[in-house]
Amino acid sequence: MNNQDLLCNGDPAHGHQAQIGKTLKQSKPWWRPARGERAGPNIVFVLLDDLGFSDFGCYGGEIRTPNIDALAAGGLRYVQYTTVPMCTPARAALMTGKNPHSVGCGWLTHANPGYPGYQAGEISADAPTVPELLREAGYATYGVGKWHNTPDYRVTPGGDRSSWPLQRGFDRYYGFLGAETNFFSPGHLIEGNEFVQIDEYTKDYYTTDDWTARAIRYLRDHASGDPAQPFYLYVAHNAPHVPLQARPEEIASYDGVYDGGWDAVREARFAQQKAMGLVPPQWRLGAGSPGVPSWESVPDAARPLMAYYMQIFAAMVEGIDRSVGALVAELKRLGQFDNTLFVITSDNGASSIGGPEGAANIFEKRVTKIGRAHV
């Protein structure tokens, strides 16, 4: 076998530019470019789940989001941003820059109807992802939180891992692969390519805090290893997706804020958006969303519960803001903030899961509907 055969057939030598002679003196070594050479700014991408357009303070909302508002004040706010109104397709579009149908993600991970463009939420193998491309360009890639681009039947200990985060471009990953989970006691947490073995969560456990702590650990580990190498950090919150869950004291901090109902909230946010110049002054507030009753039509006995739902949602969003504040503080402590592109967005708008009255168990509600359909 000659040297040309080695270059064609031997993986270690493929693309290698060393000159190999019969003796060491007649040979000339060569080294591949180091992967860690800086290729651009750091990137922190924070993805939220089912956040409405006006929920942040910097978009006219009453929810307390000072850290996000501060980033917006020093950066850009987009008002004509388009996303896909479902979790899995939106993430596939974000990860690939392509129409989700073209990469097999026209629907969610629990559905594989057997048609092109609908392959249970799994991104096509020939569609490069952002972390894959950035890693090739010299970036370290870290991910935490919700994934939702692996078919549910592959989220098993012995399942095919080809569409898990580490196989789609991430050096390190910690989170869950499904659509939703309990914020106080999540199921099937993943670290790398393995299920995390947890018998019991601590009383103060909350997923938003867990993702934040792990993201900060990744930042610190990176800084201690090779601070000159650029990194991509993907923080995919499951908040404020259902189930709506927050700590009691955080919910209580919004007592009375929503007693006037959602119609009053819409009007106040729209007026604030006009004052902030986010919408033209001649615009008028449109009719409410189909299926959402006017606050006046909500029975008096049901109003406290409806207001409480809104309090929970607000507390969840404020928790995300604290997470963003912690990440910004850590980047500044590490001296990396000024060289970091920080992006915050959501995969969908506000969701109607649970119906107009809410549901204690959405799976039970779905089964009930299916059962009635078969009666």
Side-chain angles (χ1 to χ4, degrees):
M1 180 179 290
N2 59 32
N3 194 37
Q4 186 61 36
D5 292 329
L6 285 172
L7 291 175
C8 292
N9 301 318
D11 286 340
H14 181 69
H16 210 286
Q17 298 177 26
Q19 297 177 14
I20 304 175
K22 290 184 178 182
T23 66
L24 182 60
K25 187 175 182 180
Q26 296 171 341
S27 303
K28 184 178 180 180
W30 177 83
W31 289 269
R32 298 179 189 276
R35 178 190 167 201
E37 293 177 354
R38 175 160 291 281
N42 306 313
I43 302 170
V44 174
F45 204 107
V46 178
L47 179 66
L48 280 63
D49 203 336
D50 291 356
L51 181 89
F53 174 71
S54 62
D55 288 331
F56 292 154
C58 55
Y59 280 93
E62 73 294 328
I63 301 175
R64 297 183 289 267
T65 56
N67 296 296
I68 295 172
D69 297 349
L71 285 176
L76 299 173
R77 286 177 298 176
Y78 291 90
V79 295
Q80 298 185 40
Y81 179 85
T82 300
T83 185
V84 186
M86 283 190 293
C87 297
T88 297
R91 290 158 196 273
L94 176 67
M95 280 286 171
T96 65
K98 298 177 180 290
N99 183 299
H101 291 83
S102 69
V103 296
C105 295
W107 193 243
L108 303 173
T109 58
H110 64 265
N112 191 343
Y115 294 101
Y118 297 88
Q119 54 196 34
E122 185 175 43
I123 299 173
S124 300
D126 62 351
T129 66
V130 168
E132 286 173 336
L133 294 172
L134 288 175
R135 186 162 65 180
E136 188 71 18
Y139 277 70
T141 56
Y142 308 114
V144 298
K146 174 177 171 177
W147 177 242
H148 209 196
N149 277 120
T150 295
D152 290 355
Y153 55 80
R154 289 185 173 170
V155 187
T156 63
D160 182 339
R161 284 162 164 71
S162 59
S163 60
W164 285 32
L166 261 60
Q167 282 63 247
R168 294 316 313 254
F170 285 100
D171 294 323
R172 303 176 76 181
Y173 168 81
Y174 174 77
F176 70 103
L177 304 186
E180 58 198 41
T181 195
N182 189 305
F183 284 78
F184 299 110
S185 182
H188 286 176
L189 284 184
I190 303 291
E191 183 169 8
N193 274 329
E194 299 296 331
F195 286 92
V196 179
Q197 299 301 316
I198 300 177
D199 294 327
E200 184 178 3
Y201 289 94
T202 60
K203 291 183 178 180
D204 63 345
Y205 180 90
Y206 192 69
T207 55
T208 301
D209 299 336
D210 195 10
W211 312 149
T212 307
R214 185 56 62 98
I216 289 175
R217 182 195 300 182
Y218 286 166
L219 291 175
R220 291 175 180 175
D221 288 351
H222 181 87
S224 66
D226 186 0
Q229 181 187 15
F231 61 81
Y232 171 70
L233 174 63
Y234 175 62
V235 182
H237 286 288
N238 47 317
H241 191 285
V242 296
L244 296 186
Q245 296 174 317
R247 296 185 179 93
E249 63 275 15
E250 295 169 1
I251 300 171
S253 71
Y254 283 90
D255 281 352
V257 174
Y258 298 104
D259 290 351
W262 44 68
D263 290 336
V265 171
R266 289 183 73 237
E267 292 170 1
R269 289 186 178 187
F270 188 66
Q272 181 65 11
Q273 287 179 340
K274 280 188 174 182
M276 299 170 77
L278 292 173
V279 298
Q282 69 273 18
W283 278 20
R284 292 180 296 175
L285 186 63
S289 300
V292 179
S294 66
W295 185 253
E296 290 184 356
S297 67
V298 176
D300 290 343
R303 290 185 179 184
L305 177 60
M306 298 296 107
Y308 191 73
Y309 285 159
M310 290 187 274
Q311 288 182 232
I312 302 173
F313 183 91
M316 295 171 76
V317 174
E318 186 173 353
I320 295 166
D321 183 76
R322 287 195 299 273
S323 170
V324 169
L327 291 174
V328 169
E330 186 63 25
L331 289 169
K332 290 181 178 179
R333 190 187 73 82
L334 295 172
Q336 295 286 1
F337 181 73
D338 290 337
N339 192 44
T340 299
L341 176 64
F342 207 111
V343 182
I344 304 176
T345 186
S346 179
D347 64 353
N348 310 308
S351 172
S352 62
I353 295 177
E357 297 179 0
N361 187 331
I362 62 172
F363 297 104
E364 180 179 322
K365 187 167 184 177
R366 290 171 187 167
V367 170
T368 301
K369 286 185 177 181
I370 293 172
R372 288 176 180 171
H374 284 286
V375 173

